[in-house]
Amino acid sequence: MKTRITELLGIKHPIIQGAMGWVSQSVDLVAAVSEAGGLGILATARLTPDQARKTIREIKQATDKPFGANLAPMSPQLDEVMNVIIDEKVPVFSYGRGNPERLLKRAKADGMIALPTMGAVKHAVRAEQDGADAVIVQGLEGGGHASHVATSVLVPLVADRVKIPVIVAGGVGDARGLVAALAWGAAGISMGTRFIVTKESPAHPNAKRKILESTEEDTLVTTHVTGVRCRVLFNELAKAFLGLPEITKEERDKLIFEPSLKYAFVEGNVDRGSMAAGQICGMIDDIPTCKELIERIVTGAERIIEQIKV
Ligand SMILES: Cc1cc2nc3c(=O)[nH]c(=O)nc-3n(C[C@H](O)[C@H](O)[C@H](O)COP(=O)(O)O)c2cc1C
């Protein structure tokens, strides 16, 4: 399926795997998505510059297709890792939160495609002004950092305000999500939670099982994980957060098991680690390969579009 985003990124299908700390932080998932015709994105926030360079080189060995690297402001070595991403000529640069102007300008100067994720209309408009080539727009249903606004409202508003291609994130997991994205004026989708539950995802089997067992009502938004609104699955840790007043960073670090995503997604302690995931977990009921998932979304979307025309 061709859209403005497949043209821009040089990929076959308008499907992106959103960066996920401790999940898309190694070669397997990123390379599998890119090999299947989507765009895999490496999360580098928790990598040292040496680890980032090694992983980027492994991805290049595993696929000759485009892929991206993502930086988040909590990265302890933000500028050093950015230097590695530029040095290794990663084709696409994505950025998770905050004002990306400084990093966007560096990425653009070095010929990378800049693809930030934004959760508010004004931030998407600002990203375009700062030089973003496309913008991922994440609504409140999404896993991880959560907008205040639903995807169904946010995306059409952004699509009306920017000229660059828009990609929908948050609450997308199947062919209907892709068709809705196109109807809202977007040019593709970016999925996080759905890609956690794939064969190539390195997430611990307990984490995959927890998502498979969760319904759309089993998530909540808390500021206690990272200091800003973050959507996580309901578990023992989340229960401890409920009813807590605002807490300091020190209290938060004591309460969560830093780095708490690692605890859940790598070590498999899904009760006490922070299980960032979106409401779409209610629609996830199998563990396909990335290729199977991407192909069924694209063929399903094409079929729906044909049916709508009749
Ligand atoms: C476990 C987890 C970790 C995440 N880590 C990052 C990250 O490091 N950087 C980033 O920009 N977004 C991060 N996100 C957000 C995803 O890239 C993506 O935008 C989001 O999952 C989309 O919503 P969905 O889960 O409903 O598909 C994370 C999401 C999850 C679920």
Side-chain angles (χ1 to χ4, degrees):
M1 181 183 281
K2 278 198 185 347
T3 69
R4 287 172 72 202
I5 204 68
T6 58
E7 298 292 314
L8 174 71
L9 299 174
I11 56 177
K12 192 168 171 207
H13 303 302
I15 298 179
I16 294 170
Q17 162 255 304
M20 289 177 284
W22 296 106
V23 179
S24 73
Q25 201 171 284
S26 56
V27 58
D28 299 347
L29 180 59
V30 179
V33 172
S34 287
E35 261 307 285
L39 185 87
I41 300 184
L42 176 71
T44 66
R46 296 283 176 191
L47 297 178
T48 64
D50 284 347
Q51 288 169 331
R53 191 182 297 281
K54 182 171 173 289
T55 313
I56 289 168
R57 289 185 177 172
E58 285 169 1
I59 295 169
K60 287 183 193 162
Q61 290 282 318
T63 181
D64 58 3
K65 310 255 178 7
F67 66 97
N70 169 275
L71 259 175
M74 65 282 263
S75 169
Q77 292 173 283
L78 196 69
D79 284 288
E80 293 85 346
V81 175
M82 186 69 190
N83 290 342
V84 170
I85 293 171
I86 289 171
D87 197 35
E88 289 294 325
K89 300 194 186 330
V90 176
V92 179
F93 172 63
S94 96
Y95 190 90
R97 230 182 81 202
N99 177 358
E101 183 182 1
R102 183 174 65 87
L103 295 173
L104 278 185
K105 288 208 155 77
R106 282 198 63 193
K108 295 282 294 176
D110 282 277
M112 299 174 79
I113 295 170
L115 187 58
T117 300
M118 297 291 146
V121 177
K122 57 182 180 290
H123 295 153
V125 169
R126 175 76 191 272
E128 180 179 49
Q129 287 163 359
D130 290 342
D133 295 285
V135 62
I136 298 176
V137 176
Q138 176 160 343
L140 62 76
E141 306 93 317
H145 292 137
S147 169
H148 287 274
V149 183
T151 304
S152 58
V153 173
L154 195 54
V155 174
L157 284 173
V158 173
D160 282 346
R161 293 283 305 278
V162 302
K163 293 197 175 62
I164 53 176
V166 174
I167 297 132
V168 177
V172 182
D174 69 3
R176 292 167 294 183
L178 174 53
V179 178
L182 299 175
W184 288 331
I189 54 172
S190 175
M191 303 184 296
T193 306
R194 177 61 270 198
F195 274 118
I196 296 174
V197 193
T198 55
K199 288 221 165 65
E200 297 91 341
S201 156
H204 194 283
N206 293 352
K208 293 184 187 179
R209 200 173 313 119
K210 176 90 178 160
I211 292 174
L212 284 168
E213 287 167 2
S214 296
T215 76
E216 66 285 2
E217 295 189 4
D218 291 336
T219 71
L220 73 153
V221 173
T222 172
T223 56
H224 295 330
V225 177
T226 61
V228 295
R229 289 164 52 83
C230 187
R231 186 173 295 284
V232 295
L233 281 180
F234 193 76
N235 64 4
E236 289 302 317
L237 179 69
K239 232 188 265 174
F241 287 150
L242 287 178
L244 280 182
E246 286 306 308
I247 50 176
T248 64
K249 185 176 179 322
E250 290 70 37
E251 286 166 335
R252 190 168 65 237
D253 288 349
K254 246 187 262 158
L255 190 60
I256 65 175
F257 302 86
E258 181 65 24
S260 60
L261 281 180
K262 179 180 179 197
Y263 207 54
F265 288 103
V266 180
E267 295 169 20
N269 193 334
V270 294
D271 293 323
R272 304 191 69 196
S274 76
M275 281 283 307
Q279 293 177 339
I280 196 69
C281 58
M283 281 171 61
I284 298 173
D285 59 10
D286 65 351
I287 310 183
T289 65
C290 292
K291 189 169 187 305
E292 285 162 354
L293 177 64
I294 288 173
E295 285 178 358
R296 92 176 169 214
I297 290 177
V298 172
T299 53
E302 285 166 346
R303 202 166 37 240
I304 295 169
I305 292 166
E306 276 308 306
Q307 285 164 357
I308 293 172
K309 279 189 205 155
V310 175

